[in-house]
Each structure stands twice: as structure tokens, then as C-alpha cells.
Amino acid sequence: MSEIIPEVSKDGLLDLGKKLFDERRVDYFLGYKKGTVRFKTIPLIARKGEDLQELWVEDFFHANLSLYLKEIKGRVGILAKGCDSRSLVSLIKEGQIKREDLYIVGIPCAGQVDPGKAAKAASCEPEELEEIIRRNQEFVIRANGQEKTLSKTQVLLDKCLFCQYPRPLIFDSLLTGDYVAPVSPVARAQDDLRQKPVSEKWAFWSGQFERCIRCYACRNVCPACFCPRCIVEENMPQWVSPLPAEGDNFVFHLMRLLHVAGTCVSCGECQRVCPVEIPLMKLNEKMTDDLRELFDFVAGVDLEKALPFRTYRQEDPQDFIR
Amino acid sequence: MYRKITREKLRKWLIGLSARAEILVPAKMNGLWTFRLFHNQELPQNFLNSRIPPKNLFFEPLKGLLGWKAADGSFQVNSCPAPEAARVIFGLKPCDARALRLLQPVFTGDYPDVFYAGNLSRTLLLGQACRVQCQGSFCSEVGIDRQDSVDFDVFFREIAGGYIVRVITEKGNTLTGEKEFFEESSAGEWNSAKEEIRGKNEIPLFNLEKVKAGARERFPDEDFWMRVSAKCINCGICTYLCPTCHCFDLCDLQRPGQGVRFRCFDSCAFPDFTKMAVHNPREEKWRRYRQRVSHKFNFFYENFQTVACVGCGRCVAHCPVNLDLREVLLEMAR
Amino acid sequence: MEAKPETEKKEKNWEPKILAFLCRWCSYAGADLTGSSRISYPANVRILRVPCSGRVNPLFILKTLRSGMDGILVSGCHPGDCHYTAGNYNARRKFAILSRLLEYVGIDPRRVQFSWVSASERDKFAKVVSAVVADVKALGPNELFQLPDFGQMTKGPTSPDP
């Protein structure tokens, strides 16, 4: 079956955006603009055609723009990488947005850079990185006046190394470019922690939970965390105290994880924004692996399949029940 | 007064001090710079600003204030004692030390906070000059000299083989007076040892006076605040990593027969921050963002004649959506 | 804070405290029958009646652990017997994910257990409770969230090195 894909060039993107505003197809357009801090890009929330002048889709656009759909209601044009489109699918399934209200422009992504990882590979501080330049199949890192060449696996975010959906799953038009995974997807390395005894797991996670400062950036940046009022803010009764103490942090993170189960598409934004660098993706990946294994469910890839906690099968595993 | 010390002697001096006080030095933990207990280890060179500001060592993110207990028909309330044990913090940066001084009138004013005052008076502040401009920082624009400061007890500046030292307080003078560690130096030597900062802003980003004036003028400009705060996601990173933010919440935890009242950080970025019984004066996020900027550059200035920002750049560098305070200030200064 | 005082935990003849969420239609009735049939089971369980095992929000379990309970038992109707047709099927999915996650973050699965006990299974109820109590006794008290003494109740980046 031949499919007609409306392609749009980078220059054409601006015109397309303006046209969408002119034709009143959208009230907002979510894109990116050039960041003011190294390796960051600013989410651009355009409310009229002229705002799109600053649109910039070059590199470092890791932000998952679908997070703004929690707040911005109405008809929205949005740029989506392959992985971000899974969030859109998830949100449509959850009834948070309507497909017809969205105008999705797919963008090609050659993998997003993880500055922390790159710094480690280049044995310098993340703050010392001056430039990260893509060159063919490699990256050139400049730090402290020196240049180093690193491979993609040393620089890209872990999630990009296992990229399964380089091409958006749903879209209205596509930006011209190659929709291929940055590296040929390999099986995700098994998380060593899963094989460890329970006491070691606790030693690891209690150390992580203890550091949490409860800034709630993980929650607020998460497209799947769309509750208008979060249970941690509920104080009659109080389920989770606001104290940044290990036990309350444990309840907060586990509770959040269970709330996003089935909606979380492992976009990795929570881990990326965490100011104290808690490896939250380990938890998300454990949860998504379990959902796949137990209920054959993968979030954000199928608009039809029922969400895992809205359905059941009589033969669901129950070996853990006495 | 100026002195000099070699790298190795500094370590020995700190080892000597550790018999009398708890010593905290910069260390990397889980990939982040922070302050940890000193175990006679080599002192790190070229350390950067700690991710979590040292404010947290003085105004703790979680602090028990009082506890109560009911047993055998009696009811007891105990307040948490003010901290007294001597402490030394080495490697503070000029911006963070200025922040500690800025908070002094807040915590030791009309309603003195015994914990902050106690922490400040029990701590010997040993600063160290910066050599690089931190990502996102604008310290010189808000009047901080990265190579010189009087906000410490003793201020260290790295030179070849060791440190040149500016002694500021009497406490610092007594402790650095030990001849076996420190040599005498002079103001001339101090001034000539001044270093250029790597990666500094060649041209100041903005004029602070204009920012202050702009903060007042822009306050009623709702469109401006809506525009700049549109991408804000209401997380608490900017406030919790800020060395001068000092809003807190009180929280009681109880179990049968006993309970504790805690103080923990709160953030004006959270929608519930000003929520009252039936009304929330800052329901919209632009009002909350305006509050944060105005508090720092307008209200705090009116109350204490100084802006409550030391330009450390943490909020700029770690904002999840790159909401750059520098750009907002620049626009206000226009 | 909510953790138990040191003295209580170090006692030699420590007895675990276990919170049991029992479904109103099956397991609670089963527990009732166990008692009225004069079958004895350990007195360590505190029973909380819930309308259905589907009512048990995973948050209840997390909160219970955080409050210092030593063990948790969630019990409902056998699959197919739910008074609300599918409450226990839905609950089973949540519990499957929860118990795996708890294990992953380092909470021994023996602390949080699940069972199906019908209104007539008086012997099974006694057996399940005895087994859970024995498991938790073997694990020892829940010391996951012990916090420092009240006097040092302070947290900062320099909380003393481990």
C-alpha cells in the first residue's frame, strides 16, 4: 500500500506553522528555540504565527513537548520526535487530548546527547564541556581546550541507543530527514541491580531516595503525570508528608511510578531533569518490562489496545498470591 | 591581614582543627559536588560550586523544631536545642558566602531563628576564590568579586604550590596565627596574585540598578510575566537550588502518644504555596514567577537594601526548560 | 517520627505487627468464621475491612510500610468469586506490578503478601496468617525508615558519611 506522506522541509516548517495559525487550525504551536545554556533547547510556545520566527530544530531538542498538553488546552500544533509521539498516543488513550485537536509534525532525531555521559567518557566535568559536535558517525567533544572523538554510544542518551520508534507513530506531516535509529538498536543491557539480593537493592535505593529534595521536577516534567491535583499535595488526609525524608520520598516515587504505569513511555525526562541525578529510569524500565512480561503491554504504541489497569484476563499470572 | 600556606600544610592544619571541630570539605558524591566530612583526604582542586547550595548547612531542608510526648498522664514539650558544636566549612565560594550574609537579617531580625544564628556562629567559614565562571552565572553583575570577598572568616586563593590567604575576622586571625602552618604575606602580594576568571562575561550582561528599577516598573505588566513564565513547569528546582531562597513550611508528624514538628523547604513555584482556606492569591503560574523574581529584585531590596540574588547560576543551569533568569533580568533592565 | 522507638524494636520477645486488608465478602467473613469456629491463629494481625481487594490502593500498602508496620497481608475473593464481578481481577494486576516493584527497590516480598481466602476457608485463613507471621518474624522488624533521633533531626548534604 502506498502512503502519501506530507513532507515538509526545515524552511517549510515556518510556513506550515504560519499557515496553521492563519487557517485557524491551531491556537498554539509547540516547538523548540535555541537554548541559552549549552546543550539545552528552550520549548517554544507560539500563540501566533510571528512567534514561530524563533523556531529552531537543529540539535539538543530532548524536551518532550507533550508535557505542555497538560496545561494548554485547545487545538495545538506540536513537533514530535519518534519517542515523543508515544507520549501523544498515551495521552490520547488516557482521554487527555483528542487526536483531532492535534496537528503533529514529526521531526527526525539522530539521538539526543547526554552531557553527563559525554563528560564521563571524555573524563572531565560536565561543566567543562565546551562543545559537542556531530561529525558523521561520531561526536567531537571540546573540553578544557582539548578535542576528543567519542562514539555515539558514549555520548547519546541510553534510551536513544535502544530507539525502537525513530519515526513518529502518529503524525500529520513529517519534516524531511532520515527516520532511522541513531545506532542499530541493540537489546537493552540488563540492569545489574535486578540480579542482586534484596538487601543490596535496598541499600542502593535508600541511598537514592534519601537524596531526593522533593522539587517535583520529575512529576511536573512528566507528560504522564497529568492529575490536576497530585496526591502528595493532598493533606486531608495526608498520604505523603512533604518532608524530604527517605521514607516519604520512597512513598512519593513508588506511588508516582504506579500512577504512570501504562502511560509512561520511558521518555526519560524525569531522570534528565533531576537536579540530584537519581536514576529514575531504572525504576521506569523495571515497571515497563514487568508490564510487557506480565500483561503483554507496551505503552504508547497502540491506540486501540486497552490500558493494562483498565482490563484483565482470567489467566493473568498469580503465582505470587497465596 | 594576608598570609600564605602550602597545599600540604593546609591539609595538616585542617587535620589539626578536626580534633576540635567537624570539618566539611568539597567532595564529589554520586557525580555531584557537595560538602562532606573531612577524613584527612587530599583536598580537591578545581572543584565547582556544589549542586545543592551550602545554605542547606545553615538553614536545613528538614529540621525538627520541637517534639511532644504524652505518658502516664503527663504531657511534655521539648524544643530542639540550637546547634553548638564547632564546625569548619572549607571551600565555600564567594557567591554562596554572600548568600549566607544576605539571609542573616532575615533569620536574625525581629524574630531570631536560633538554628540559623547558631549554625552561623558555630561555623568557621573558609572561602576559596573561583577560577572559572560557572555555567549560567552572573555573579559579577550582582556585585560579587570572585577573587576577593569579606564574607568569610578566611579567604583562600590558589597560587602555585599552595594558597595565599586573606584573614578577615578575629576568629580567623587566631586560627591562622599558628606559625608552623602559615607564613606572613602582604597586601601587595595578594593584589598581584589576582587571577583572570576563565570564561567570564567580557561585557556585563546587565546593569543591576536598571534591573532594580525594572523590577518595580514591570510588576504590573501582566503580559510580560505571562510571556516569560509560559514554559515554566512549576517545579521547585530554582528555589531549592537557590542559595538565597528561604521559604519554608511547618509540618507535624504524630503517632500515638508523641509527635514532632518539622520545618521543611517550600517553594513559591508550587501552586499550593499561598493556598488558603478558600482562596489562592497566586493561582496562575505567572503570578508565582513574578513573585519569585520580584521578591529577589524588588521586595527584598526594599526591606534589606540589597537584592536577594548572588548570581550563582544554579537556577539557570538546572532549569528543566531553560527558563533563563538572565534573559528575564535583561528584559527588565531595558 | 513514625518509626518505632529503639527500645521497642530491640526487645527480645518482639512480636511483628501485621496489617491485613480483608475483603468484606470473602476474606473478612473467612476470618470471622475462623474465629467463631475457635480455630486459633497468631494475634499479630490487625484487620482492616475493605469493600473489595480492588479497593486496596497500592498507596495504602506504601503508606503502611512507611508508618512502620512490619508486614502486610491483602486478601480477597478467589478469582471468579468477586462480589463486584471483577474487583479482584483488577486488583491482581496492580498487586503483580506492585510486588515486583517493591522487590526491585529492596523490600522483601515476604513483608507484603497477598492471598485469596473465601468465606468458608477458615483453615486456609489461619494457615495464611500463621505463614505470614512466621515469614515476618524471620525477617525481623521493619527498620526500613528509621530516622535519626529527634535532637539530630536535620537533613543536609552533609548528613554524616556512611
Side-chain angles (χ1 to χ4, degrees), chain A residues 36 68 71 125 215 220 275, chain B residues 28 51 231 234 236 285 324:
Chain A
T36 59
Y68 288 105
E71 191 181 319
E125 300 275 343
C215 66
N220 292 8
Chain B
K28 210 162 197 188
R51 178 74 56 93
K231 59 181 170 284
N234 307 318
K285 78 179 164 191
D324 195 330

Side-chain angles (χ1 to χ4, degrees), chain B residues 35-334:
Chain B
F35 292 91
R36 303 294 291 187
L37 284 178
F38 176 60
H39 294 300
N40 308 345
Q41 74 268 37
E42 285 294 325
L43 294 169
Q45 290 186 44
N46 298 327
F47 55 87
L48 295 156
N49 237 346
S50 62
R51 178 74 56 93
I52 302 282
K55 160 191 89 175
N56 290 27
L57 299 169
F58 296 83
F59 166 55
E60 294 93 345
L62 175 56
K63 176 79 193 146
L65 301 179
L66 55 89
W68 61 92
K69 210 172 222 170
D72 310 324
S74 73
F75 187 75
Q76 261 191 323
V77 180
N78 293 317
S79 48
C80 187
E84 276 170 2
R87 182 170 74 163
V88 176
I89 305 180
F90 175 78
L92 289 168
K93 298 287 185 179
C95 53
D96 291 335
R98 175 68 56 83
L100 295 176
R101 302 294 176 205
L102 284 177
L103 291 180
Q104 230 170 330
V106 179
F107 283 114
T108 56
D110 296 344
Y111 300 97
D113 176 58
V114 289
F115 304 110
Y116 191 83
N119 276 330
L120 212 51
S121 68
R122 77 190 177 107
T123 310
L124 185 75
L125 302 174
L126 306 179
Q128 184 162 340
C130 302
R131 311 181 92 171
V132 282
Q133 170 116 24
C134 299
Q135 170 129 270
S137 65
F138 48 96
C139 33
S140 54
E141 282 82 349
V142 291
I144 284 170
D145 187 342
R146 289 156 290 195
Q147 282 274 311
D148 207 348
S149 169
V150 290
D151 296 322
F152 297 99
D153 291 294
V154 184
F155 190 57
F156 291 72
R157 193 190 285 162
E158 270 182 274
I159 50 169
Y163 301 86
I164 185 160
V165 179
R166 178 173 182 183
V167 181
I168 296 141
T169 61
E170 198 40 53
K171 198 157 102 180
N173 187 22
T174 324
L175 284 164
T176 58
E178 301 170 49
K179 287 278 177 297
E180 70 181 285
F181 297 112
F182 289 88
E183 291 170 40
E184 291 304 314
S185 178
S186 65
E189 210 173 345
W190 172 259
N191 289 333
S192 62
K194 201 159 186 170
E195 259 184 64
E196 275 297 299
I197 304 288
R198 261 197 293 138
K200 71 170 182 182
N201 306 332
E202 293 304 333
I203 311 154
L205 291 173
F206 50 77
N207 176 321
L208 189 61
E209 292 309 314
K210 283 189 179 168
V211 168
K212 283 188 271 193
R216 280 192 300 277
E217 281 160 27
R218 286 286 193 173
F219 190 81
D221 186 352
E222 296 184 5
D223 286 339
F224 169 74
W225 295 108
M226 275 185 212
R227 181 161 50 79
V228 295
S229 70
K231 59 181 170 284
C232 173
I233 60 165
N234 307 318
C235 76
I237 289 184
C238 51
T239 43
Y240 286 1
L241 297 192
C242 178
T244 65
C245 271
H246 51 270
C247 289
F248 58 83
D249 190 10
L250 291 179
C251 180
D252 290 347
L253 284 187
Q254 311 196 48
R255 46 183 233 100
Q258 55 177 296
V260 182
R261 172 161 297 172
F262 289 97
R263 176 171 78 184
C264 63
F265 283 2
D266 203 350
S267 166
C268 59
F270 295 159
D272 277 10
F273 182 68
T274 45
K275 192 172 181 203
M276 287 167 274
V278 290
H279 176 56
N280 187 352
R282 288 185 221 129
E283 191 118 43
E284 303 96 334
K285 78 179 164 191
W286 64 268
R287 290 184 194 272
R288 298 195 291 273
Y289 189 72
R290 176 175 75 176
Q291 170 64 22
R292 184 173 138 81
V293 177
S294 301
H295 190 194
K296 296 211 173 301
F297 294 91
N298 184 357
F299 313 146
F300 198 90
Y301 176 70
E302 278 174 16
N303 289 334
F304 302 108
Q305 292 72 52
T306 169
V307 294
C309 175
V310 293
C312 70
R314 288 181 178 94
C315 60
V316 177
H318 301 294
C319 177
V321 293
N322 196 186
L323 206 180
D324 195 330
L325 181 62
R326 294 174 303 181
E327 296 217 306
V328 177
L329 298 182
L330 203 64
E331 212 168 318
M332 285 194 328
R334 245 176 237 147

Side-chain angles (χ1 to χ4, degrees), chain A residues 191 210 244 308 318 322, chain C residues 66 93 104 113-114 116 155:
Chain A
D191 178 0
E210 202 208 333
Q318 59 165 359
R322 278 180 185 273
Chain C
R66 197 260 170 276
R93 286 206 153 193
Y104 178 62
Q113 302 204 26
F114 305 90
W116 302 141
K155 191 183 153 184

Side-chain angles (χ1 to χ4, degrees), chain A residues 64-224:
Chain A
N64 183 348
L65 295 172
S66 54
L67 91 96
Y68 288 105
L69 297 175
K70 294 194 272 187
E71 191 181 319
I72 295 173
K73 299 293 170 198
R75 287 162 310 159
V76 181
I78 185 170
L79 295 186
K81 305 188 286 288
C83 47
D84 301 343
S85 75
R86 289 178 64 193
S87 288
L88 296 173
V89 171
S90 257
L91 289 174
I92 293 167
K93 281 174 77 162
E94 291 275 5
Q96 293 300 307
I97 41 174
K98 290 198 188 97
R99 176 66 185 92
E100 57 269 28
D101 286 343
L102 291 179
Y103 189 93
I104 306 165
V105 182
I107 50 174
C109 166
Q112 296 299 320
V113 166
D114 181 344
K117 199 172 155 187
K120 209 178 251 177
S123 44
C124 66
E125 300 275 343
E127 290 85 347
E128 288 170 346
L129 290 174
E130 284 153 23
E131 255 185 301
I132 303 180
I133 311 152
R134 276 176 208 273
R135 199 168 285 169
N136 303 326
Q137 292 302 305
E138 285 168 334
F139 281 90
V140 177
I141 310 286
R142 281 210 304 117
N144 298 325
Q146 291 180 324
E147 277 200 5
K148 268 184 194 159
T149 306
L150 297 176
S151 72
K152 281 184 180 176
T153 44
Q154 287 173 301
V155 177
L156 293 182
L157 285 168
D158 284 340
K159 71 161 180 177
C160 299
L161 303 181
F162 317 109
C163 177
Q164 281 185 297
Y165 304 96
R167 188 166 184 268
L169 295 159
I170 48 170
F171 58 83
D172 295 291
S173 61
L174 285 178
L175 206 61
T176 43
D178 294 332
Y179 289 88
V180 288
V183 293
S184 57
V186 276
R188 181 152 45 81
Q190 187 68 42
D191 178 0
D192 294 338
L193 193 66
R194 294 191 196 172
Q195 312 306 325
K196 300 257 171 73
V198 171
S199 58
E200 273 178 52
K201 288 174 179 163
W202 178 248
F204 176 82
W205 283 112
S206 64
Q208 303 297 333
F209 292 141
E210 202 208 333
R211 283 168 32 223
C212 173
I213 58 171
R214 293 286 276 283
C215 66
Y216 301 132
C218 50
R219 179 193 71 185
N220 292 8
V221 82
C222 177

Side-chain angles (χ1 to χ4, degrees), chain C residues 40-114:
Chain C
S40 69
Y41 60 87
N44 304 65
V45 283
R46 276 74 170 158
I47 292 173
L48 198 69
R49 192 176 72 177
V50 286
C52 173
S53 49
R55 176 65 186 92
V56 182
N57 186 328
L59 185 57
F60 297 175
I61 295 172
L62 297 174
K63 172 92 176 162
T64 310
L65 277 173
R66 197 260 170 276
S67 317
M69 273 295 197
D70 301 305
I72 296 161
L73 170 67
V74 183
S75 189
C77 308
H78 283 276
D81 289 354
C82 181
H83 185 77
Y84 310 99
T85 320
N88 54 358
Y89 283 127
N90 289 313
R92 189 169 63 180
R93 286 206 153 193
K94 287 187 275 184
F95 298 155
I97 293 289
L98 174 71
S99 67
R100 283 180 168 218
L101 280 177
L102 286 177
E103 198 275 338
Y104 178 62
V105 296
I107 290 174
D108 199 295
R110 287 174 291 175
R111 267 202 208 288
V112 184
Q113 302 204 26
F114 305 90

